[in-house]
Amino acid sequence: MLTRHTAQGRDLRWSVLSWFRGAAMEHATDGEPAPQPPMEAVKEALAWALPQLAAVRFLSMAAQAHTEEQADDFYVYAENQRHQWGRPHLLDPEGLRGHILAGEDAPSDAANRGTGTALIHLSAAAGLGGQGIGADLLAEALAGSGLLPQVSREMWEEVLTQAELEGRPLVPENLIVDPLERALLASGEDLLKARDTAVQLSGYGSLLVMHGLLLPRTPGLGLLFRLINDLGVGQALIGMAAGCWKPQSFTQTLVVCLDPYYAWLCDQLAAQVAAGPPLFRRAGEDTAEAFMQDWLASIKNLSSRDASDCH
């Protein structure tokens, strides 16, 4: 199985992690679970891979910054390393859908250029604690991150300022963690659960992206997207979907999903799907195949329209 996940020039430890991810995505054969890599090999690969990931080093450094000098060093490091992270995966599926239907170019991400700075401050809060950056800056970072678009800066500032006045922590202590330490202490069972959670959540993120690409609307998808919007996790899910196919990005997502919150989130979304109505059936349609045919037809019609516009 390992040879299926190897690539020229890739370290075998990345291949082990790719196999670990792929085992959760493959269908069982003859009723048997997909072959899994040895857990000891997975742990060894994680111990080697995680310190190489800029995002993990970044968060780990924030968690270890206990003095003002260390905090200053963290911000210098963050600014120097920002170019390695790439742009955050921010996408407005509904907006993208509207632009496509109107025959317009997809919007530029120029409006999201401040997102990198916002995420630096959020990571600092996760490592240093909210008091380390203050209520005003934390409110600005939360509003600018794009992660909870329904909550304004003023709303964040009101809640955080009140917490600061009352002497309550701006960031719960259980959220101030060193991701590298958490991953290295995780059990095999913890890693399996986080892996399965990451794969499932990336699937929900893919549905959001496909909605932007004209996936037909259905009552089931509408209810699911409404829950995702109410929970404010759409951008996080899209980010997971964007990095799911690369072992480096998936490894980062795996570490994130060790937090029990994400297992809870996965359960909430799965419960909505189970409650119905079916995701891929519209009123009057008997099969998911009819749904897919409608989607393909809408894309074909769009392609034909674009081709005619070129003449």
Side-chain angles (χ1 to χ4, degrees):
M1 287 295 298
L2 182 60
T3 57
R4 292 176 54 185
H5 299 277
T6 57
Q8 187 174 5
R10 174 191 284 177
D11 191 287
L12 283 178
R13 286 164 289 199
W14 284 126
S15 299
V16 169
L17 293 171
S18 181
W19 177 11
F20 184 57
R21 176 207 62 198
M25 304 177 75
E26 293 177 7
H27 295 291
T29 303
D30 298 328
E32 296 294 327
Q36 305 277 345
M39 187 53 66
E40 286 306 313
V42 173
K43 290 183 176 181
E44 180 183 339
L46 277 174
W48 168 82
L50 288 172
Q52 301 185 50
L53 300 176
V56 173
R57 292 199 306 270
F58 174 66
L59 290 171
S60 184
M61 188 175 183
Q64 296 171 17
H66 302 302
T67 68
E68 185 174 341
E69 183 179 358
Q70 289 173 328
D72 290 341
D73 289 342
F74 160 77
Y75 273 106
V76 171
Y77 173 80
E79 287 295 337
N80 289 337
Q81 295 296 315
R82 192 199 301 204
H83 68 280
Q84 295 188 16
W85 309 338
R87 293 190 183 276
H89 298 291
L90 294 184
L91 173 70
D92 174 12
E94 195 66 42
L96 175 61
R97 187 185 187 97
H99 281 280
I100 291 175
L101 290 173
E104 301 170 349
D105 292 336
S108 166
D109 63 352
N112 296 325
R113 288 176 182 168
T115 304
T117 300
L119 294 181
I120 287 176
H121 291 315
L122 287 181
S123 300
L128 307 172
Q131 277 73 7
I133 70 170
D136 290 350
L137 192 55
L138 181 54
E140 183 178 344
L142 285 165
S145 68
L147 299 178
L148 292 165
Q150 71 271 42
V151 184
S152 68
R153 183 190 187 283
E154 291 73 21
M155 294 167 68
W156 280 120
E157 188 169 2
E158 180 180 351
V159 171
L160 293 171
T161 300
Q162 185 63 35
E164 197 170 48
L165 291 173
E166 295 174 0
R168 293 185 283 113
L170 302 185
V171 178
E173 290 186 4
N174 65 311
L175 295 183
I176 304 174
V177 297
D178 182 337
L180 180 57
E181 181 180 359
R182 167 180 273 174
L184 296 180
L185 292 176
S187 67
E189 183 179 353
D190 292 336
L191 291 172
L192 286 168
K193 185 173 184 178
R195 187 268 315 266
D196 293 345
T197 296
V199 167
Q200 292 175 54
L201 291 179
S202 68
Y204 293 119
S206 296
L207 287 176
L208 288 169
V209 175
M210 288 188 288
H211 175 68
L213 299 174
L214 306 186
L215 189 71
R217 302 177 190 272
T218 69
L221 284 171
L223 290 172
L224 176 63
F225 293 157
R226 182 185 304 171
L227 176 59
I228 289 172
N229 184 66
D230 290 345
L231 293 171
V233 295
Q235 294 301 331
L237 296 178
I238 290 171
M240 290 181 182
C244 184
W245 301 101
K246 297 180 180 179
Q248 293 87 345
S249 300
F250 182 79
T251 300
Q252 293 177 182
T253 302
L254 175 68
V255 174
V256 169
C257 288
L258 284 167
D259 190 306
Y261 167 78
Y262 291 95
W264 173 87
L265 173 61
C266 196
D267 289 343
Q268 297 301 304
L269 300 180
Q272 174 58 58
V273 173
L279 295 183
F280 303 127
R281 294 186 187 178
R282 295 190 290 190
E285 288 180 343
D286 295 328
T287 66
E289 286 78 6
F291 170 88
M292 294 303 296
Q293 289 172 4
D294 286 348
W295 186 23
L296 294 175
S298 67
I299 295 174
K300 184 177 180 179
N301 290 338
L302 186 66
S303 299
S304 300
R305 184 193 69 186
D306 291 343
S308 65
D309 289 344
C310 294
H311 296 295

